[in-house]
Amino acid sequence: MRLPNLLATKNGRLMAFFLLYVTEGIPLGFAATAVATRLRRLDVGPAEIGAFVGSFYLPWAFKWAFGPLVDVFSSDWLGRRRGWILITQVLMALTLLSTVMLDLPAQLGLFTMILLVHNTFGAMQDVAIDALACSTLQEDERGLANGMMFAGAMIGSMVGGSGVLFLSGVTGFQPTFFFVAGCILLVTVVVVLPMQEAPGPARAVVVGSKLAQAGREMRDFAVDSFRSFLGSPGAFGGLLFALLPAGAMCLGLALQSNLAVELGMNDDQVALLGLWSSILNAGFCVLGGYVSDRWGRRRTLFVYLALMSLPVFYLMNELSRHGWIMPVSSTAGDRPPVPAALVTALWIATLAYAVFQGLMYGTRSAIMMDVTNPAVAATQFTAYMALMNLAISYSATWQGIAIEAWGYPTTMLVDGIFGLACLLVLPWLKRSKDAAASDVGQAASAASFTDPLGPKRARRLATALGLLCLAWVPSSLWSEVFGAGKPIVGTLFTVIFIASALFLLAGRAVLGDAGGRTARLGVWVAPLLILLYARYHLNAIASWLPAGVDAASFVAGAQNAMMGVAALAGVLLLRLGTQPWKQMEVGAS
């Protein structure tokens, strides 16, 4: 029997994109719930699990870089978007299956690297699916389709998380890898293979190599994103908002599954908790967006974000009251008895959190659309979403470290308070008067999303990043003063280095020749800033050196070189802070 081309009808298109988004949610649920639970049961520490979950989200923070590749390197025979979806889904399944024989937790590093590649293909697939949706969905289908796509991601997360945990109780954990890969390939066979993508518009003539064309598109993306982010108070506020955690996050990351294992919940119980959380999350996402349309987005989002800290503080108090402070190995012979009240408190806190997080999700996306410049809507909104994934990544990382250093209650206290920081930015997230006029039938031009203060914002941002890069030198020399918080400070500087590298690259593209030697040198320093992440692995790298090379001298020299890179980046950014940035002025080309 020949399977139907789902893109041929409205209902078929809705079902197709629902199922395609299921394949996006499966890997995230698998990593954040199923694998995190399994690792904690194998006595892997919260810090390692947090780093694992954090690394899993990293490709989604840089998915904007895949857009030009999907646009330029495509096949009319396979379908410009369909070909990418087909290839990435097959590669997702193959990379997952390649981990079946790995020994956990002994080979956790290799396991993490392979799943990082696996999720990179997942992020590429997301870009191709969104591009296909933009070119295929009719205007009157897009609202419902986006709702179904989000629901599909939630269903996929349940399949990869709760579904795997339920199944592992019957088959054991390793065979579930075949189940997850099989779910992805089932969508490939049923949806993607029979899909007949309509021919795209005539291709522009590529000047030079396709790789060079993709590079030019990335440059255009950087320029458009940079100008749009700094073009108005609302857009700049959106940049800060995206980089901050969207409320308290610990009950949506590995902390919750770690704690469930420690409190004696079996895989079926953890899966059931995840199942009900996902159902509540998806349902209240729709309700939150509906309410925000009627009562105002900033007002309702303020309430939703504030409410997300309440279940965190409640569970923090219950953990403190019962004396469950530090992580407890599930295999320890002297494990304290688990109070039944703590398990009940975890259920209450997790389900309440799912409600409040669901209310927040849809409203947050809508408010980011409000401050997005329509002239570069796809570029700016994609960049916002990527930065939000970066916030998830660093939150998972620092929380894993903090649990081992400070214990659960203190980590939850810091998370609950830090999650409220984004409330300070909310007053900026408002549409201009001209843009708001379009809501009552008047036309809002792209120029209404920009103001004359773009150059000033660029100078201030460059100066702030420069000072932060320079601050890493004394913080490294006297790092012991941070005590148990030293790794968390390191995570903060990692985010600063990434932001500084992106600023240097985008700044060069925007300033062009006017940036002079400073901007040109910044392009070479930017990759070195990213490579500073290797500071966490210097001892491991030293172990690879040939015999006769003094490992201690190598580590000391590498640390000094890294401080030099950070100092040089700081000086370059401070010099960029003195530039006039006329290219950011309204109407500049």
Side-chain angles (χ1 to χ4, degrees):
M1 182 179 68
R2 184 179 180 83
L3 294 171
N5 169 28
L6 293 180
L7 297 184
T9 64
K10 176 181 177 179
N11 290 337
R13 286 189 288 273
L14 295 176
M15 181 56 65
F17 288 107
F18 169 82
L19 292 172
L20 288 172
Y21 259 67
V22 167
T23 64
E24 292 190 21
I26 287 174
L28 296 175
F30 181 64
T33 301
V35 176
T37 300
R38 176 64 175 172
L39 291 176
R40 191 66 189 109
R41 215 172 285 288
L42 292 172
D43 209 23
V44 177
E48 288 182 273
I49 295 173
F52 166 75
V53 174
S55 67
F56 209 72
Y57 280 92
L58 271 181
W60 297 84
F62 295 95
K63 70 175 188 177
W64 51 268
F66 304 137
L69 298 176
V70 171
D71 284 339
V72 176
F73 294 93
S74 57
S75 166
D76 288 320
W77 178 65
L78 289 175
R80 296 187 185 181
R81 317 303 182 196
R82 173 183 173 273
W84 276 97
I85 297 170
L86 178 65
I87 293 169
T88 52
Q89 286 187 350
V90 171
L91 291 174
M92 287 169 66
L94 291 177
T95 50
L96 191 63
L97 291 175
S98 71
T99 64
V100 170
M101 302 306 295
L102 293 183
D103 178 24
L104 294 177
Q107 294 179 292
L108 178 59
L110 179 58
F111 182 75
T112 301
M113 290 178 61
I114 294 175
L115 285 192
L116 183 64
V117 174
H118 165 84
N119 213 38
T120 300
F121 294 133
M124 287 182 178
Q125 178 200 215
D126 175 65
V127 172
I129 291 172
D130 288 347
L132 181 65
C134 289
S135 62
T136 302
L137 290 170
Q138 303 298 315
E139 186 174 352
D140 59 353
E141 300 169 359
R142 290 173 184 167
L144 179 57
N146 274 277
M148 292 190 67
M149 287 154 75
F150 174 82
M154 293 304 301
I155 295 296
S157 181
M158 284 193 292
V159 170
S162 298
V164 165
L165 288 177
F166 279 129
L167 184 61
S168 65
V170 178
T171 66
F173 192 72
Q174 292 300 101
T176 62
F177 287 60
F178 294 99
F179 168 73
V180 174
C183 289
I184 295 171
L185 292 176
L186 180 61
V187 175
T188 305
V189 172
V190 173
V191 178
V192 183
L193 282 178
M195 185 183 292
Q196 297 177 22
E197 183 181 355
R203 296 175 183 271
V205 177
V206 176
V207 179
S209 70
K210 287 189 174 183
L211 191 60
Q213 175 65 17
R216 286 191 291 270
E217 288 196 16
M218 288 183 191
R219 177 191 177 280
D220 292 341
F221 181 97
V223 172
D224 290 342
S225 297
F226 197 96
R227 286 176 171 168
S228 58
F229 279 152
L230 304 182
S232 70
F236 187 61
L239 173 64
L240 299 178
F241 186 81
L243 280 170
L244 289 170
M249 303 190 79
C250 63
L251 289 179
L253 296 172
L255 180 145
Q256 179 250 323
S257 57
N258 287 348
L259 196 54
V261 171
E262 291 184 27
L263 295 181
M265 294 175 65
N266 61 35
D267 284 353
D268 284 353
Q269 292 169 326
V270 176
L272 191 61
L273 179 58
L275 176 65
W276 282 110
S277 299
S278 298
I279 292 173
L280 287 172
N281 198 296
F284 278 89
C285 176
V286 177
L287 178 62
Y290 176 83
V291 172
S292 74
D293 284 340
R294 282 147 183 79
W295 290 359
R297 258 184 274 285
R298 285 188 297 163
R299 183 184 298 121
T300 54
L301 189 56
F302 185 98
V303 174
Y304 301 157
L305 289 166
L307 288 174
M308 288 173 66
S309 289
L310 294 184
V312 173
F313 291 149
Y314 161 72
L315 184 57
M316 174 199 73
N317 181 69
E318 291 300 298
L319 289 168
S320 298
R321 191 164 65 88
H322 290 281
W324 202 281
I325 307 300
M326 301 304 294
V328 179
S329 170
S330 59
T331 61
D334 57 347
R335 277 174 50 83
V338 179
L342 263 187
V343 179
T344 301
L346 179 63
W347 269 90
I348 293 171
T350 302
L351 295 181
Y353 180 84
V355 169
F356 301 142
Q357 187 188 47
L359 290 170
M360 177 274 297
Y361 256 126
T363 308
R364 180 183 64 167
S365 296
I367 204 169
M368 302 310 283
M369 290 181 181
D370 288 345
V371 299
T372 295
N373 186 336
V376 288
T379 295
Q380 187 176 350
F381 189 74
T382 297
Y384 280 142
M385 296 301 104
L387 292 175
M388 288 177 182
N389 285 309
L390 179 60
I392 296 173
S393 178
Y394 75 69
S395 296
T397 302
W398 81 257
Q399 286 172 20
I401 297 169
I403 291 169
E404 293 190 0
W406 301 335
Y408 285 109
T410 302
T411 300
M412 298 174 81
L413 177 64
V414 174
D415 177 57
I417 295 174
F418 187 41
L420 298 175
C422 60
L423 298 180
L424 302 176
V425 185
L426 271 181
W428 292 1
L429 302 186
K430 59 182 178 180
R431 309 180 73 180
S432 67
K433 293 181 179 179
D434 290 340
S438 65
D439 293 336
V440 292
Q442 301 178 32
S445 65
S448 66
F449 286 80
T450 58
D451 64 22
L453 299 180
K456 186 176 182 180
R457 294 189 191 98
R459 289 193 293 270
R460 287 184 173 179
L461 184 56
T463 301
L465 289 173
L467 292 174
L468 289 170
C469 283
L470 290 174
W472 186 61
V473 176
S475 73
S476 296
L477 293 174
W478 297 290
S479 59
E480 298 307 318
V481 300
F482 298 112
K486 176 181 174 181
I488 298 174
V489 174
T491 300
L492 173 63
F493 275 107
T494 296
V495 176
I496 291 169
F497 294 149
I498 292 173
S500 299
L502 293 176
F503 187 98
L504 289 171
L505 292 171
R508 164 61 176 158
V510 171
L511 291 173
D513 293 337
R517 185 180 302 170
T518 300
R520 290 194 298 272
L521 183 57
V523 173
W524 294 98
V525 173
L528 298 178
L529 281 173
I530 302 294
L531 290 176
L532 290 186
Y533 188 77
R535 67 189 185 276
Y536 296 116
H537 307 287
L538 287 179
N539 289 325
I541 295 172
S543 67
W544 302 340
L545 297 175
V549 177
D550 184 59
S553 299
F554 168 79
V555 171
Q559 289 173 337
N560 290 332
M562 289 179 172
M563 284 191 285
V565 169
L568 177 58
V571 171
L572 293 176
L573 287 162
L574 290 177
R575 286 181 60 85
L576 289 176
T578 65
Q579 292 272 354
W581 289 89
K582 293 183 179 179
Q583 294 79 0
M584 293 293 299
E585 293 176 353
V586 178
S589 59

